[in-house]
Amino acid sequence: MGIRVDLRGISYTYPGSKSEAVKNVSVTLRSGMCYGVTGPNGSGKTTLLKIISLLYKPTRGHVLYDVSDPWRSDITSYRRRVVYVHEKPLMVRGSVLDNLALGLRIRGYNGDQIKERIERIVAKLDLSSLLDRSARDLSAGQRQLVAIARALVLDPDVIALDEPYSNLDFRKRKRLSRVVNELRGKGKLVVISSHDIGLLVSLCDYIIYLEDGGIVLEGPAGEVYRELLSEH
Amino acid sequence: MEPIQNIVLRSLTISGTATLLAALWSLPLAYLLASSRRFRPLVYFFEALVGIPTVLVGLLLYLLLSRNGPLGFLELLYTPQAIIIGEALLITPLITAVSYQVMLTGLSYYRELALTLGASDRQAALLVFRETLPSLISSVVMGFSRAVGELGVALIVGGNIKGYTRTMTTSIALATAMGEYEAAVKLGLVLTAIAVGVSLVVRLVRREWASE
Ligand SMILES: Nc1ncnc2c1ncn2[C@@H]1O[C@H](COP(=O)(O)OP(=O)(O)OP(=O)(O)O)[C@@H](O)[C@H]1O
Ligand SMILES: [Mg+2]
């Protein structure tokens, strides 16, 4: 049985801000599916992804993981089922390898388990040449890929990627798309934000189009695409 | 004149102790300020006090510690302890304000990173601390530099007693007043060398850390 994430009328207001960055969003996300979130700059994509990933607590409405509200329960245990990869990811001091091991160490895995899990992901994302490099010296695209790998080694049920393609070259994009498809095939729930609607349509099952914090258009990828085309 | 190395050693001990003391409360305080927006007004207060004149701190502490003052019974006036307390208070706003900024950034970025990787609150705080440590050390060292180079507190509540509360800065003031310019310049150079040396060490530590 896969996971289901239910957003029920959620809104989010940043502390100290007057307006809502996300407004009254309701949508159900299911495992084995890829969701594409798109919309203009400042429309609330990042905020929405962070709510889904349990980083922000909605100021109104509820997030449900299956039938329970993580915010009313042990939030850390729910956070261990979901990862969020920042559009401009941070690296901690140390090598790429140290960074890849960070989440596993936090979860108390031992050295052998850490090594095994990292090896698998490194092969998939072709990162072996970077392992010993200082993580803070990486280029933007390399960082992004390392951050994605750092999240995927945790084998989460829910994966939220914020503009994961923005700095990747053509080859890396193809590689990432393959990985995303594989995750979906394994029954993971993937959420990707991007400005590239064409890419989302080709990769995802369902598209959510945000404007000003609210959903203005949503539906199966093909339908949303046709609708957007006919608008212009 | 007292041997110069005694004065230097005493100065370093007093200011070093004051710095450790100030760090002991300033760092947790900075963490508290950075962790909630409710405390924002306090931040402005500490930021405003960063440049507080050293003589003013000396004067206030003098009034507190003098025989008829509210804390007179402690009999701390004209002791090294009085200078330590005064310098610790003097650099508290500086260390607090600078490490507040460091922790604010650390909290908003590293805390979130830790949470995305499934950290508990305690683990997240630990990661924030680990990643901001070099900058926190710099802020503490800045405090030390201010403490070791200040005159007002040491003179007013220390009293420049030979062999007891005489520090580098009070010696310089005294030597200058007595026309012993050579001794004054010598101590001045030592003081400068300490300031430069400390900042070099900090640089090295940070670089070592960054490339680790
Ligand atoms: N830390 C913050 N404090 C206050 N307001 C914020 C903060 N972060 C974002 N906002 C506001 O929330 C709204 C949504 O921002 P968000 O980052 O979710 O947009 P986005 O769709 O991801 O934009 P982009 O395409 O530029 O990444 C914007 O109006 C933004 O100004
Ligand atoms: Mg964004």
Side-chain angles (χ1 to χ4, degrees):
Chain A
M1 248 312 272
I3 195 171
R4 197 185 73 205
V5 176
D6 236 332
L7 306 184
R8 297 220 178 136
I10 51 154
S11 301
Y12 185 79
T13 310
Y14 281 92
S17 162
K18 284 199 188 69
S19 57
E20 292 177 325
V22 164
K23 286 175 200 144
N24 195 24
V25 167
S26 297
V27 64
T28 300
L29 312 172
R30 291 171 210 285
S31 62
M33 299 264 282
C34 172
Y35 296 85
V37 179
T38 190
N41 291 124
S43 56
K45 303 182 291 295
T46 296
T47 312
L48 184 64
L49 260 60
K50 286 184 176 178
I51 292 171
I52 293 171
S53 322
L54 306 178
L55 295 171
Y56 294 166
K57 183 179 179 192
T59 38
R60 280 198 293 142
H62 294 284
V63 185
L64 299 180
Y65 268 53
D66 291 329
V67 287
S68 28
D69 183 344
W71 289 103
R72 291 194 179 163
S73 138
D74 174 18
I75 187 75
T76 302
S77 72
Y78 281 95
R79 280 190 180 134
R80 292 194 173 184
R81 302 178 65 181
V82 52
V83 294
Y84 167 84
V85 180
H86 207 276
E87 41 190 330
K88 296 218 165 60
L90 269 188
M91 295 289 134
V92 296
R93 273 186 282 119
S95 66
V96 168
L97 192 61
D98 293 330
N99 272 272
L100 294 179
L102 190 60
L104 294 168
R105 293 219 174 96
I106 284 173
R107 286 159 201 234
Y109 283 85
N110 71 35
D112 287 340
Q113 293 167 314
I114 291 178
K115 205 170 147 234
E116 191 205 310
R117 285 204 178 202
I118 289 179
E119 269 168 11
R120 233 181 305 149
I121 288 294
V122 161
K124 225 174 259 173
L125 286 172
D126 192 21
L127 294 170
S128 51
S129 61
L130 297 179
L131 286 183
D132 296 324
R133 293 271 299 277
S134 161
R136 290 192 174 158
D137 296 342
L138 299 179
S139 75
Q142 289 169 332
R143 263 172 191 247
Q144 217 160 15
L145 223 48
V146 168
I148 292 169
R150 179 170 67 185
L152 294 184
V153 291
L154 302 172
D155 194 28
D157 298 329
V158 182
I159 297 138
L161 305 175
D162 205 349
E163 319 245 1
Y165 289 93
S166 56
N167 288 303
L168 300 188
D169 63 43
F170 177 69
R171 267 225 198 89
K172 301 268 168 33
R173 282 176 171 231
K174 272 203 340 209
R175 210 174 252 277
L176 179 58
S177 295
R178 212 157 60 214
V179 170
V180 168
N181 276 321
E182 207 182 298
L183 290 168
R184 182 169 51 177
K186 281 201 295 189
K188 306 292 186 188
L189 196 175
V190 186
V191 186
I192 296 179
S193 84
S194 177
H195 289 286
D196 189 341
I197 297 180
L199 187 143
L200 289 182
V201 167
S202 69
L203 190 64
C204 294
D205 307 290
Y206 198 88
I207 307 283
I208 295 166
Y209 190 95
L210 291 175
E211 229 165 68
D212 224 6
I215 297 181
V216 290
L217 188 62
E218 64 175 313
E223 281 178 28
V224 169
Y225 193 56
R226 273 193 297 278
E227 195 137 348
L228 284 171
L229 280 185
S230 65
E231 254 180 40
H232 299 291
Chain B
M1 251 322 282
E2 199 184 347
I4 192 168
Q5 61 270 29
N6 290 5
I7 299 176
V8 172
L9 199 66
R10 185 177 312 117
S11 258
L12 293 181
T13 313
I14 288 176
S15 301
T17 312
T19 306
L20 287 180
L21 206 59
L24 206 64
W25 61 61
S26 299
L27 294 180
L29 183 63
Y31 185 83
L32 200 70
L33 296 179
S35 59
S36 171
R37 298 176 59 88
R38 273 179 317 176
F39 300 123
R40 229 25 77 87
L42 268 176
V43 175
Y44 303 136
F45 173 74
F46 281 107
E47 279 174 355
L49 288 184
V50 166
I52 190 171
T54 62
V55 283
L56 186 61
V57 175
L59 174 64
L60 290 174
L61 197 60
Y62 179 89
L63 293 175
L64 281 174
L65 294 181
S66 66
R67 196 160 293 279
N68 302 322
L71 297 177
F73 65 94
L74 294 173
E75 304 194 337
L76 282 175
L77 197 61
Y78 303 137
T79 63
Q81 287 82 346
I83 310 181
I84 289 173
I85 295 169
E87 289 186 346
L89 293 176
L90 175 74
I91 62 179
T92 291
L94 177 68
I95 300 182
T96 304
V98 175
S99 31
Y100 159 79
Q101 286 298 342
V102 170
M103 287 188 191
L104 196 62
T105 324
L107 278 177
S108 56
Y109 293 106
Y110 288 108
R111 191 181 133 79
E112 189 168 288
L113 170 63
L115 295 185
T116 66
L117 298 175
S120 63
D121 278 334
R122 201 182 54 84
Q123 288 173 319
L126 218 64
L127 184 81
V128 171
F129 183 70
R130 208 185 63 168
E131 293 304 312
T132 52
L133 194 57
S135 305
L136 293 180
I137 290 177
S138 308
S139 78
V140 172
V141 167
M142 280 165 71
F144 175 77
S145 296
R146 177 141 205 246
V148 83
E150 73 81 33
L151 173 67
V153 172
L155 200 60
I156 297 178
V157 301
N160 195 23
I161 301 167
K162 184 176 170 187
Y164 187 49
T165 59
R166 183 159 296 171
T167 65
M168 286 190 269
T169 53
T170 57
S171 306
I172 292 173
L174 181 68
T176 308
M178 301 197 342
E180 293 170 6
Y181 301 122
E182 202 190 311
V185 168
K186 225 196 244 166
L187 271 168
L189 287 177
V190 174
L191 203 52
T192 311
I194 289 171
V196 172
V198 160
S199 91
L200 274 180
V201 170
V202 171
R203 254 170 183 276
L204 282 178
V205 167
R206 294 192 69 145
R207 189 146 44 155
E208 211 39 51
W209 228 302
S211 63
E212 185 189 279

